[in-house]
Structures are given as C-alpha cells and as structure tokens.
Amino acid sequence: MIEKLTTRALNRATLHRQLLLERAAMPAHDVVEHLVGMQAQEPFSPYYGLWSRIRDFRPEALSSLLLDRKVVRASLHRATIHLVSAADHGRVEPLLRPFLHRRFASSPFGFVLDGLDLDAFTAAAGALVAEKPHTRRELSDHLAARWPDHDATALGYAASFLVPVVQVPPRAVWGESGAAAWTTASTWLGTAEPATSPEQFVRRYLAAFGPASVRDVQTWAGMTRLKPVVEAMDLRTFTDERGRTLYDVPDGPLPDPDTPAPARFLPEFDNLLLGHDDRTRVISDEDYRRGIVVGGKPTLLVDGVVHGTWKITGDGLDVELFRPLTSAQKADVESEGARLLAFAGATGDVRLEIL
C-alpha cells in the first residue's frame, strides 16, 4: 500500500530540503547548486533568500561569486531570470533551451520570427554580445539596423532568448546598480559543463523540493512531457491528501511533521512558492488568491506557511499579517525581523499589522 503524506508532512519535508527549518553551515555557492538555482527576477532577492537559509550569511559572499563568475544570472527555469552556478548553467541551459525558444515564439514578441532567418539572426546577435555586453535597448538598435523591416524591440528580446546569454555585473551586485547587460555564456564562463540528463534534473529537483508530482516538476522547470521520464526512474512513491501520486528520491529526508518551523522572511518570487503546481504545502488556496505570489511580494512564513507580507521602509520593517499570531509567534517574528533589518543595513522598528 502506498503511504499517504499529509500536507503538514510535505511542508516539513520541503522546508527541510529548502534549508528553512534550520539555517545551514554551507557556502553560498553550494546552496545555490543545492537549490538548482534561485529565482532572481528581482536583482537582490537571492541575497535575502540565502540569508534565510545560511548561517551568518553576508551579502559579500554572493557579490564575490558574481564578480568572480562562479555564479551567473540567465533566463532559465520558466523562462525567468535565475541565479545558478557557472557549472549548472552549462548543465541545465541546453536542457531548457527548446522551451525558451517555444516560450519566446508564443510571447507578444514572437511575431518577429515571421520571415526572419534564424540562423543568420542568432549568429549576428551572438557575435554582437560576444564582442561586449549589450543592454536590450542596445541590441534592439544594432539589430534593427540590419533588419529594418522587423520590430526593433522584439528583435532585442529575441536576441536574449534565442542566443545562450547571461547577465553581467554590476547588475545584482550588493550595494551597486546597473542595467541588465548581456553577453554570451561561452564568452563569460568559458567551456561549459556537459549537459545534464532529464533524469538527473528531476532527481536534483526532488532532493530540494520533494516529494512532488510530475506536474510539480514541470511547473518548476517550465518543461512538459516529463511523465514518462519520472515514471521510468527508480523513485519512492507516495500519495497526498488530494490523492495525487508523489515521487521522491530514495534517500529523501522526511522530518517529523511536528518539527518546529521558525519564522522566515522570504524575498519576492522565492522558488519555495513557485516550485510546485500544488502550492498548498506552503500557502493556502485562500492566501494564494491574494495574488502575492504571482504579484511578487516578499512573504513571511509562520509555522512553515505563508502568513503575511513584508517591506523594509526608511524607518523600519512593516509586516502585514493575514491573521493573528500567538504571543510566541509574535516574539519569533519580531526577533527575526530585527535580524532582517540588521542584515539589510537598515534601522527602525518591526511593525506588525493585521490586514
């Protein structure tokens, strides 16, 4: 008989694998690899995501990795910007490239592909950004000069989706600012690691997000047709409270569902909230309908689930709660909030308000 896992059991398993039950004594590079990348649509969100997961994390630990080309930002999972290790870019980008091409073709800018010689276009765009990094605006201007009958803005977007490119610093370096500029992955990173297999990609996902369904894996990656891959693998199987079949790596830890989960402040678009098709293990259907996940609001976890949102202001930290806290939870949130302000180099009070 297949074991059933409660939603709370799934919550604690995923929090444990996401390093959110207890901060890990791991280098930032290793955590980024363990998570198979971090959603980085907002340039500085990975800093807060790593702070919530790593003991004594400092921003310089990630900034130096970006400057030393040990980690990189690129359009990958779900065709969104992700922070991945340099090695993982080589491993996963070829696997996701067909999806990136299809995603662009179906985007509002996909019309630019009509009548465009893709081989000539990708060669020209690749040579352009290999010479030096360019912003999308610069790409649009250069490419429109060669293809004047095509929409300039669409050409710029096409270049950043159809050519294997990465964003370069100072974009996303703590304490600095800079427009998103792109160069080829080979120019910035050199020789790439061999591409991973779909099976290995799934295993790494489950090790960081599992147990999970096939649809969960596909939602996280932005891929399709993974069911035959998953079903052919040697994996443990469970069911959840909704009757879905869940898969897991053979040695995936399953903590006691009663394991305490401390308050955690997560950044915008954290993959904990985007990494599953069924997100009820970390956010209720009611709270999901508030639009905070797709809207990209930083979220507060209390007892392992989304309990509110937060924002650092000029005079402190404002926390909007969806429901009341116990006295112990309030103290935990205030204490963690004070640490968050210190990490961000901000001062002021932690203010809690129930919506």
Side-chain angles (χ1 to χ4, degrees):
M1 184 175 178
I2 299 178
E3 181 181 353
K4 178 182 288 188
L5 295 177
T6 64
T7 300
R8 186 176 176 87
L10 287 173
N11 172 271
R12 292 310 194 254
T14 303
L15 290 178
H16 175 79
R17 300 180 199 194
Q18 286 283 305
L19 311 179
L20 291 168
L21 283 183
E22 182 178 357
R23 285 182 168 92
M26 294 171 60
H29 176 276
D30 295 355
V31 171
V32 173
E33 283 212 333
H34 167 71
L35 298 173
V36 207
M38 302 181 72
Q39 221 280 358
Q41 182 174 330
E42 297 296 328
F44 299 106
S45 62
Y47 290 89
Y48 293 96
L50 291 174
W51 173 78
S52 287
R53 291 171 166 92
I54 298 176
R55 196 178 307 160
D56 301 322
F57 173 75
R58 301 301 307 158
E60 298 78 15
L62 179 54
S63 290
S64 63
L65 291 175
L66 280 164
L67 293 169
D68 293 341
R69 309 188 187 193
K70 300 291 181 61
V71 299
V72 69
R73 295 162 49 81
S75 293
L76 294 168
H77 317 51
R78 305 182 301 278
T80 56
I81 299 295
H82 270 65
L83 176 81
V84 297
S85 70
D88 266 350
H89 186 274
R91 294 173 184 134
V92 307
E93 195 277 339
L95 191 65
L96 296 174
R97 177 130 304 276
F99 166 74
L100 293 173
H101 282 227
R102 292 194 300 271
R103 185 65 173 265
F104 178 77
S106 63
S107 76
F109 298 108
F111 66 88
V112 77
L113 300 179
D114 293 339
L116 190 67
D117 184 332
L118 287 185
D119 290 338
F121 175 80
T122 55
L128 191 63
V129 293
E131 182 180 350
K132 72 172 187 177
H134 285 74
T135 65
R136 276 206 181 108
R137 175 61 183 271
E138 293 168 342
L139 283 169
S140 297
D141 292 343
H142 282 288
L143 295 169
R146 178 163 176 178
W147 286 277
D149 295 333
H150 291 267
D151 182 83
T153 299
L155 288 171
Y157 272 87
S160 62
F161 274 89
L162 303 182
V163 179
V165 292
V166 299
Q167 287 186 6
V168 300
R171 183 72 167 177
V173 173
W174 189 263
E176 298 190 32
S177 62
W182 307 82
T183 189
T184 60
S186 58
T187 299
W188 190 251
L189 300 176
T191 304
E193 290 281 326
T196 194
S197 67
E199 291 81 4
Q200 183 58 27
F201 199 47
V202 170
R203 287 186 188 280
R204 292 186 61 190
Y205 165 80
L206 293 174
F209 291 86
S213 71
V214 172
R215 291 186 65 177
D216 289 333
V217 185
Q218 294 182 157
T219 295
W220 165 78
M223 298 173 66
T224 57
R225 303 175 182 176
L226 287 178
K227 185 175 182 178
V229 174
V230 174
E231 292 182 342
M233 295 171 63
D234 181 20
L235 299 170
R236 288 190 296 177
T237 58
F238 304 93
T239 60
D240 65 7
E241 292 180 350
R242 301 187 179 196
R244 303 181 313 155
T245 299
L246 307 178
Y247 299 87
D248 199 13
V249 289
D251 57 350
L254 297 173
D256 188 316
D258 291 328
T259 302
R264 290 288 185 259
F265 288 90
L266 298 182
E268 309 94 325
F269 303 113
D270 194 282
N271 269 343
L272 176 75
L273 303 180
L274 298 176
H276 301 87
D277 173 65
D278 182 349
R279 299 177 171 94
T280 54
R281 70 181 68 192
V282 291
I283 184 170
S284 68
D285 288 333
E286 175 189 0
D287 289 340
Y288 183 78
R289 286 191 290 270
R290 297 174 187 268
I292 61 173
V293 177
V294 294
K297 288 190 176 183
T299 52
L300 166 69
L301 300 184
V302 174
D303 193 24
V305 298
V306 172
H307 207 97
T309 62
W310 60 273
K311 181 180 181 181
I312 294 177
T313 66
D315 61 349
L317 174 66
D318 289 333
V319 182
E320 293 187 339
L321 302 169
F322 298 157
R323 58 196 61 86
L325 302 174
T326 67
S327 57
Q329 289 172 339
K330 181 174 182 291
D332 187 23
V333 170
E334 290 176 336
S335 178
E336 184 75 352
R339 288 190 287 270
L340 174 64
L341 285 173
F343 169 76
T347 58
D349 299 324
V350 178
R351 296 177 289 271
L352 309 183
E353 180 181 0
I354 300 176
L355 289 179

